[in-house]
Amino acid sequence: MRWLALLAVRVVGGCTTEVGPSPAELKAQWDAQNVVPQNYKNDLMAFLRTYLNDPTHIRGASVSQPQLKQVGPGERYVACVRYNARVDGKYAGSKDGAATFVSGKLDRFFDGKLDVKELCKDAVYAPFPELETLTR
């Protein structure tokens, strides 16, 4: 009977051990995904073609080089984009967005004013004429 009790304690005790990666392993995985996006302009163009209601005739397009910024629990490469797109046939005014990249590919696009303001506060924009040539 003692052996049965001891076996039950060991089985239950084995269930309480932590399973999964440690915090250090999670951070290492996160950091390993920080690969400089080589085709960030193409990724932005492909995304904005589907994101905008009317991707044609964009004006004043500019983009920043991807830089490591604090996003969530760690750093990610972030590229900021500014553009003036048409809404219902009229230009709506300049809009800003921030794209985060994971493993060199676009992962998420932020367009909320507070998010973009924080992520793009020190962005240096350069002309992005390729975005102005989008078609449907």
Side-chain angles (χ1 to χ4, degrees), residues 76-102:
R76 286 286 184 237
Y77 277 98
V78 176
C80 299
V81 63
R82 181 173 288 155
Y83 57 90
N84 187 357
R86 294 190 306 186
V87 176
D88 296 327
K90 297 179 183 178
Y91 286 98
S94 184
K95 298 223 180 212
D96 292 343
T100 59
F101 295 84
V102 175

Side-chain angles (χ1 to χ4, degrees), residues 40-72:
Y40 69 97
K41 287 184 178 182
N42 290 338
D43 287 351
L44 282 169
M45 288 174 46
F47 172 77
L48 289 170
R49 178 177 285 118
T50 60
Y51 176 75
L52 298 171
N53 288 335
D54 184 359
T56 62
H57 306 291
I58 292 174
R59 292 183 180 170
S62 56
V63 67
S64 70
Q65 291 280 332
Q67 296 179 341
L68 281 174
K69 304 272 182 157
Q70 187 69 31
V71 178

